[in-house]
Amino acid sequence: MTVTRRQMLAGAGLMGAATAVAPFIGTTASRATPPAPAAAPNVLLPLFNNSAFNGQISFCLGGASPHTSDVGEVMRVVQQVNKKTGNPSDADTTTGDFDALIQGFVDMGDRMERLAKRSGKSDAVTYRQRMMRASSYAAQALFFVLGGSRPDDEADYFRICQRRWLAAARAFDRPVQQFRVESPYGSIPCYFFPSPIGKGPRPTLIVSSGSDGQLVECMGFGIT
């Protein structure tokens, strides 16, 4: 059985690598006391008790290697969200908890974009890395938007995520080149990153994430 992101965030359940996790969309009712931390012997880095939150944000945290996230920035959002929500388990997660997570990453992404523009394109590395992180943080809001109270924001978050990524990609020493490839299923948008050194024909690596993830998430597949 294939579980789509939409089904997962609508409460159908999250299929893990080896186990199925119970639905985690709850109600908007408030909780009297925060639940005790859930036992998670197979979780390497327990950021959240909610397994979906923990899995996706751990993936975001790993983006620190290809410079699409920053450990301190991500951990700051985690701290703020857990303080606001009480760090609920899967079964106790409410729409409001999704909203808190979404807003935390929206705010951090907006801050990174402001800082990128402040640094200016004359400082291309700083501009590029800040804008890339801004795109990544928008991608987290996009991933969870269907579980929050404003699912209609999905298209807006997608556009913000893509716009920031493209701004960052254009700030490489050799800017990304856009083109399209026709297929029986329609036109496929493609992005070519020229080698920063040398010129002329050379072996080219084709990267496809194989998922419905965002372009910023492909940066860790050998591009940066």
Side-chain angles (χ1 to χ4, degrees):
M1 174 183 176
T2 300
V3 179
T4 67
R5 169 175 157 271
R6 287 180 178 273
Q7 291 171 328
M8 181 183 75
L9 295 180
L14 174 66
M15 298 301 294
T19 60
V21 179
F24 50 82
I25 296 291
T27 67
T28 56
S30 61
R31 293 177 294 275
T33 58
N42 297 321
V43 175
L44 181 63
L45 183 63
L47 304 173
F48 296 100
N49 287 332
N50 181 295
S51 54
F53 288 9
N54 198 77
Q56 176 62 21
I57 304 309
S58 293
F59 183 67
C60 173
L61 190 64
S65 177
H67 307 295
T68 60
S69 73
D70 175 86
V71 172
E73 292 163 4
V74 174
M75 294 305 293
R76 178 58 175 164
V77 175
V78 170
Q79 180 187 50
Q80 292 173 334
V81 172
N82 282 338
K83 182 177 180 180
K84 188 171 185 178
T85 65
N87 195 13
S89 64
D90 289 349
D92 291 323
T93 300
T94 69
T95 300
D97 297 329
F98 274 87
D99 286 344
L101 182 65
I102 292 165
Q103 192 60 51
F105 279 100
V106 166
D107 291 345
M108 185 60 76
D110 289 349
R111 179 173 183 269
M112 283 301 105
E113 181 170 11
R114 289 194 300 271
L115 290 175
K117 292 178 177 178
R118 186 181 303 172
S119 65
K121 294 185 179 180
S122 59
D123 186 353
V125 174
T126 300
Y127 174 86
R128 181 179 71 237
Q129 292 188 357
R130 286 175 174 173
M131 195 63 81
M132 196 72 75
R133 301 203 305 270
S135 175
S136 181
Y137 300 150
Q140 309 317 307
L142 173 59
F143 185 89
F144 288 108
V145 67
L146 298 180
S149 61
R150 299 175 59 180
D152 290 343
D153 287 346
E154 182 180 23
D156 289 337
Y157 289 149
F158 174 79
R159 285 190 288 267
I160 292 169
C161 180
Q162 298 299 84
R163 173 180 58 77
R164 290 171 175 173
W165 177 84
L166 190 56
R170 287 171 173 163
F172 279 95
D173 293 339
R174 292 189 176 179
V176 66
Q177 299 174 17
Q178 295 178 253
F179 64 100
R180 305 186 77 87
V181 173
E182 297 303 322
S183 80
Y185 308 100
S187 181
I188 303 173
C190 302
Y191 303 85
F192 176 64
F193 287 83
S195 171
I197 58 175
K199 60 182 180 180
R202 65 193 64 202
T204 300
L205 176 66
I206 298 176
V207 176
S208 175
S209 70
S211 73
D212 64 349
Q214 307 312 307
L215 290 170
V216 67
E217 296 169 347
C218 291
M219 302 307 291
F221 299 161
I223 298 175
T224 56

